[in-house]
Amino acid sequence: MSDRPGVYLALVHHPIRDRAGGTITTSVTNLDVHDIARSARTYGLSGYFIVTPIEAQRALVRHIMSYWREGGGAKRVPERAQALSIVREVPSFADAVAAVEAAEGARPVTVTTDARSAGDPRSFDEVREMVRGRTKPVLLVFGTGYGLAAEVFDATDVRLAPVRPGGYNHLAVRAAVSIILDRLLGDAGA
Amino acid sequence: MSDRPGVYLALVHHPIRDRAGGTITTSVTNLDVHDIARSARTYGLSGYFIVTPIEAQRALVRHIMSYWREGGGAKRVPERAQALSIVREVPSFADAVAAVEAAEGARPVTVTTDARSAGDPRSFDEVREMVRGRTKPVLLVFGTGYGLAAEVFDATDVRLAPVRPGGYNHLAVRAAVSIILDRLLGDAGA
């Protein structure tokens, strides 16, 4: 994989839909930082961006990272330090795109995901082929709360089909991320 | 699926390996209850057993469940009440097996999972076929901490291959559960 452009992930905390359809900023949770970093590292991702405009929340992310990268956590659980080494906090989705472009020398193809069917989504097979044969970096974009606001979908290239079209779907974002990484990048069950 | 025997899941907190290979009891975490209930419900499981011999921890699980099933949570987020409706706490792995047998009238086929390759594991394709064609209930068994103790493997029928054989593998149990449910029971990417 090292000669190919990287795959990146962004977890967006703003702009996010609330239950009623309004636009909100959700809180960063410690578990989202850890679980998603571990899944991203396991599937070979090059970077994991935590997107929030709130400086105090970005400071929290930096605090978690310094403990696990250099503090007591790094000594106690070195695998965790490896996972958190790919985490980076940025104020906006546009900053995440710009950071990938700066690292890779090419603008990433941006892929959004959503629990609900809407727009003209691509199948997992189609996006898996696209990711496997990529000649540009890929940025996978996940929402928190009740999902990404419309303006994020409007600013991205590809919309991926829901994990479970129809029926009950109330997966935690941490679970949805791990399933989608496995479907797009996994080595087994294929 | 309703005419077929059910698929169940057990999250074991004892007996569990620690980092050094000793046997310990891990703590129940609120997030494991919620995230795994949501994934289990999304993939149509019939029950999710939280296994711990510590009565105070089982009381904690009952407290979480009563809030989300009947308390303020049930009104606010009805999907969560649906997810938690399949959760049940039991003192031991044997109790989980007995509860499935009582509900289904047949002893379940027990399937263990582990992050490390050992024993004679079956491939995901093989276990997926077994689950799809099942004539008996299935109980999927997950460890916490550094994995299930040897005595749990000895007491079970089938050992599933690791999600990522070789390389870095440091998935949260919540992530491993969702990936394995998707590989064995998912409707897409197949």
Side-chain angles (χ1 to χ4, degrees):
Chain A
M1 303 243 304
S2 55
D3 53 344
R4 282 200 293 172
V7 178
Y8 296 78
L9 191 153
L11 183 69
V12 176
H13 296 83
H14 178 89
I16 288 298
R17 287 193 310 258
D18 68 8
R19 202 170 174 88
T23 297
I24 56 168
T25 302
T26 56
S27 294
V28 172
T29 74
N30 185 41
L31 244 293
D32 284 344
V33 176
H34 280 271
D35 276 24
I36 294 176
R38 294 164 70 179
S39 295
R41 177 67 185 79
T42 296
Y43 285 91
L45 267 58
S46 300
Y48 164 30
F49 296 97
I50 293 172
V51 179
T52 175
I54 302 176
E55 166 53 27
Q57 301 255 301
R58 295 202 305 279
L60 169 70
V61 175
R62 290 192 298 270
H63 178 72
I64 294 170
M65 290 191 296
S66 70
Y67 173 76
W68 286 98
R69 286 178 183 171
E70 296 124 35
K75 288 186 203 73
R76 199 163 58 79
V77 189
E79 302 90 339
R80 196 65 63 91
Q82 269 191 55
L84 290 173
S85 70
I86 65 170
V87 176
R88 188 162 156 193
E89 34 74 35
V90 290
S92 72
F93 174 62
D95 291 313
V97 173
V100 174
E101 189 167 5
E104 299 271 341
R107 197 174 169 81
V109 177
T110 50
V111 179
T112 48
T113 59
D114 199 32
R116 301 172 308 176
S117 296
D120 178 27
R122 310 278 189 88
S123 73
F124 276 91
D125 281 350
E126 207 176 338
V127 176
R128 181 181 172 93
E129 284 310 300
M130 187 201 87
V131 171
R132 297 219 152 183
R134 70 187 177 277
T135 53
K136 288 198 276 186
V138 172
L139 176 59
L140 304 171
V141 188
F142 291 86
T144 50
Y146 284 84
L148 297 164
E151 64 199 86
V152 181
F153 288 108
D154 292 346
T156 52
D157 303 312
V158 174
R159 185 161 181 158
L160 185 61
V163 168
R164 299 275 298 179
Y168 180 93
N169 185 341
H170 184 54
L171 290 170
V173 66
R174 299 168 290 280
V177 164
S178 59
I179 291 166
I180 289 170
L181 293 181
D182 189 60
R183 288 190 182 183
L184 298 180
L185 300 159
D187 51 6
Chain B
M1 302 242 305
S2 55
D3 53 344
R4 282 199 294 172
V7 178
Y8 295 78
L9 191 153
L11 183 69
V12 175
H13 297 83
H14 178 90
I16 289 299
R17 287 193 310 259
D18 68 8
R19 201 170 176 89
T23 297
I24 55 166
T25 302
T26 56
S27 294
V28 172
T29 74
N30 184 42
L31 244 294
D32 284 344
V33 176
H34 279 272
D35 276 24
I36 295 176
R38 293 163 71 179
S39 295
R41 177 67 185 81
T42 297
Y43 285 92
L45 268 58
S46 300
Y48 164 30
F49 296 97
I50 293 172
V51 179
T52 176
I54 302 176
E55 166 53 27
Q57 302 253 302
R58 295 203 305 280
L60 169 69
V61 175
R62 291 193 296 271
H63 178 72
I64 294 169
M65 290 191 296
S66 70
Y67 173 74
W68 285 99
R69 285 178 183 170
E70 296 124 35
K75 288 186 203 74
R76 199 162 58 80
V77 190
E79 303 90 338
R80 195 65 63 91
Q82 269 192 56
L84 290 172
S85 70
I86 65 169
V87 177
R88 190 163 153 189
E89 35 74 34
V90 291
S92 73
F93 175 62
D95 290 313
V97 173
V100 175
E101 189 168 5
E104 299 271 341
R107 197 173 169 80
V109 178
T110 50
V111 179
T112 47
T113 59
D114 198 33
R116 301 174 307 177
S117 295
D120 178 27
R122 311 276 190 88
S123 73
F124 275 91
D125 281 350
E126 208 176 337
V127 176
R128 181 181 172 94
E129 284 309 301
M130 189 203 86
V131 170
R132 297 218 152 184
R134 69 188 177 277
T135 54
K136 288 199 275 185
V138 172
L139 176 59
L140 304 171
V141 188
F142 292 86
T144 51
Y146 284 84
L148 297 164
E151 65 198 86
V152 182
F153 287 109
D154 293 345
T156 51
D157 304 310
V158 173
R159 185 161 179 156
L160 185 60
V163 168
R164 298 277 297 182
Y168 180 94
N169 185 341
H170 184 56
L171 289 171
V173 66
R174 298 169 289 280
V177 165
S178 60
I179 291 166
I180 289 170
L181 292 181
D182 190 59
R183 287 190 182 185
L184 298 180
L185 299 160
D187 50 7

